[in-house]
Amino acid sequence: MRLLHTSDWHLGRAFHRVNMLGAQAGFIGHLVETVREHAVDAVVVSGDVYDRAVPPLAAVELFDDALHRLADLGVPTVMISGNHDSARRLGVGARLIDRAGIHLRTDPAGCGTPVVLTDAHGDVAFYGLPYLEPALVKAEFGVEKAGHEAVLAAAMDRVRADLATRARGTRSVVLAHAFVTGGEQSDSERDITVGGVAAVPSGVFDGVDYVALGHLHGCQTLTERVRYSGSPLPYSFSEHRHRKSMWLVDLDATGSVTAERVDCPVPRPLARLRGTLADLLADPELTPHEDAWVEATLTDPVRPDEPMARLTERFPHTLSLVFDPERAPEEPGVSYARRLADRSDQEIAEDFVAHVRGAGPDTHERGVLRDAFDAVRADDTVREVAR
């Protein structure tokens, strides 16, 4: 059985101030053509179909168009909700849409109930594990501690229990939306840390033939059977080295996996440039980047006049301007933004405690802060779902 594995469409999302809807529509067309040209038997979409719980109307219309085009191909599609989606909204009409061969799996209670497809070698069971927010699903899975590993392990126990009841030789595919240990992050993924821990070990998914992951935006192979497809389009400059693609996966009669990447259309290349304004404007080696979306980091010791206007004369698609002046090592002046760069909310709060009282939080206090951030994040999730 030949599968096309994709995820993290983030329909409705912009790239800085650039509307990406046209590029997203181009990707949907590319996906449909790939299904047709490569004789794909099933499409799997591993979450974050939308960029937010209440997407703009244009994004909903594009999703509706994608569903119709996939259904018209007569190729089954299995998709799950991600942490950016509203599971309840995405799942509206799921049972009716099932009849068209589009299988939406957004309810955590259904983790152990697969979509079963058949080829010449027998059945393939597709188990959809939507994003499992630990604070919201721990009761469903009967786990005491609300953590990603605990709820995913409980969900996979249901998968393995169901698989054990099926005919010998039944192959299996799991769709999941999670941060799995060994995956490389980018700046455009929403933090899903709980209790100070975000990642789960890949061993949680042992016992199935292929795991189609979503959440991380870079295409990655964790093991031959556990892969991220990544997002089809870039959503931050941290993805400037990504090769955006989908996985074309073949499951043979025994469940062995072979996979190859299918590149996605590139609406415009990304470039991260660094140097003084004068150097960026004059360097002939930067000519290939003149048509790219550009993030420019200026190292001038004194902020130059009208830097954005001057940059866009050479690089008309400059979207981000960062100032990182090169100073002598003994110079103490460091901007507040630079001090906070790459630091988590937890680390910033701990730094504040240390600044106010002269000593950082102890182990108990760090736990209190962590619980507070987890509670706020869970509350935000509940509010999004309820909107």
Side-chain angles (χ1 to χ4, degrees):
M1 183 171 288
R2 173 163 287 183
L3 318 176
L4 186 63
H5 168 199
T6 177
S7 72
D8 296 274
W9 296 355
H10 288 279
L11 300 182
R13 186 167 186 163
F15 181 70
H16 290 262
R17 60 178 180 271
V18 176
N19 186 319
M20 295 291 279
L21 203 65
Q24 290 169 341
F27 161 70
I28 295 299
H30 170 69
L31 177 130
V32 170
E33 285 304 309
T34 300
V35 171
R36 184 181 292 116
E37 291 177 10
H38 291 272
V40 169
D41 298 305
V43 177
V44 294
V45 186
S46 298
D48 281 353
V49 173
Y50 291 122
D51 187 56
R52 56 182 187 264
V54 184
L57 178 59
V60 177
E61 291 173 338
L62 179 55
F63 179 57
D64 180 65
D65 178 64
L67 294 185
H68 279 86
R69 294 173 73 178
L70 288 168
D72 287 345
L73 290 175
V75 175
T77 298
V78 184
M79 59 176 62
I80 59 172
S81 49
N83 60 303
H84 280 249
D85 298 309
S86 166
R88 291 174 62 185
R89 280 188 170 83
L90 188 64
V92 168
R95 285 182 294 177
L96 182 62
I97 297 172
D98 264 352
R99 300 178 188 177
I102 307 293
H103 308 283
L104 297 173
R105 294 296 181 261
T106 63
D107 184 358
C111 286
T113 304
V115 175
V116 180
L117 304 178
T118 303
D119 66 7
H121 305 293
D123 290 345
V124 180
F126 291 78
Y127 297 90
L129 279 56
Y131 172 66
L132 302 175
E133 172 58 47
L136 302 182
V137 302
K138 65 177 183 176
E140 166 64 33
F141 291 106
V143 298
E144 295 182 3
K145 187 176 180 181
H148 288 288
E149 183 174 354
V151 296
L152 270 171
M156 283 302 300
D157 285 344
R158 294 188 183 183
V159 168
R160 286 185 283 264
D162 179 84
L163 194 55
T165 68
R166 299 193 174 272
R168 184 179 179 85
T170 298
R171 291 154 292 162
S172 53
V173 175
V174 165
L175 291 72
H177 196 88
F179 179 17
V180 178
T181 303
E184 183 179 343
Q185 295 176 274
S186 62
D187 293 342
S188 54
E189 298 118 5
R190 182 181 293 172
D191 181 28
I192 59 172
T193 301
V194 172
V197 178
V200 300
S202 60
V204 164
F205 299 104
D206 286 351
V208 296
D209 294 311
Y210 184 70
V211 182
L213 292 174
H215 180 57
L216 299 185
H217 288 182
C219 183
Q220 302 170 58
T221 300
L222 304 186
T223 74
E224 286 305 305
R225 296 183 182 275
V226 182
R227 300 171 188 262
Y228 282 100
S229 67
S231 62
L233 295 166
Y235 293 113
S236 74
F237 277 102
S238 65
E239 301 170 48
H240 70 291
R241 290 193 175 94
H242 286 187
R243 173 187 162 197
K244 296 300 184 182
S245 57
M246 302 177 284
W247 284 112
L248 195 63
V249 179
D250 286 313
L251 274 181
D252 72 9
T254 65
S256 294
V257 172
T258 57
E260 64 175 294
R261 293 173 71 173
V262 178
D263 290 334
C264 295
V266 179
R268 192 179 297 279
L270 307 185
R272 274 184 150 173
L273 309 182
R274 181 183 179 89
T276 66
L277 179 60
D279 287 345
L280 296 185
L281 294 178
D283 188 348
E285 293 187 3
L286 301 183
T287 299
H289 303 305
E290 289 179 351
D291 195 43
W293 281 321
V294 169
E295 177 187 74
T297 299
L298 299 185
T299 60
D300 301 74
V302 177
R303 186 173 300 207
D305 292 333
E306 300 184 330
M308 180 61 89
R310 294 162 68 185
L311 273 171
T312 53
E313 289 180 4
R314 181 179 187 188
F315 305 102
H317 304 289
T318 301
L319 300 181
S320 175
L321 186 58
V322 179
F323 294 96
D324 187 16
E326 292 181 349
R327 295 186 171 97
E330 67 275 6
E331 191 170 352
V334 178
S335 73
Y336 181 69
R338 284 185 62 197
R339 292 200 301 272
L340 298 188
D342 301 321
R343 298 186 68 73
S344 68
D345 290 342
Q346 175 87 16
E347 291 169 329
I348 293 169
E350 291 180 11
D351 289 348
F352 177 74
V353 172
H355 173 74
V356 169
R357 72 180 188 191
D362 59 25
T363 301
H364 171 71
E365 291 167 334
R366 282 195 294 271
V368 170
L369 286 170
R370 186 166 56 245
D371 290 344
F373 281 118
D374 288 349
V376 170
R377 188 180 48 75
D379 183 63
D380 287 344
T381 301
V382 171
R383 289 174 184 274
E384 278 198 359
V385 170
R387 285 174 66 188

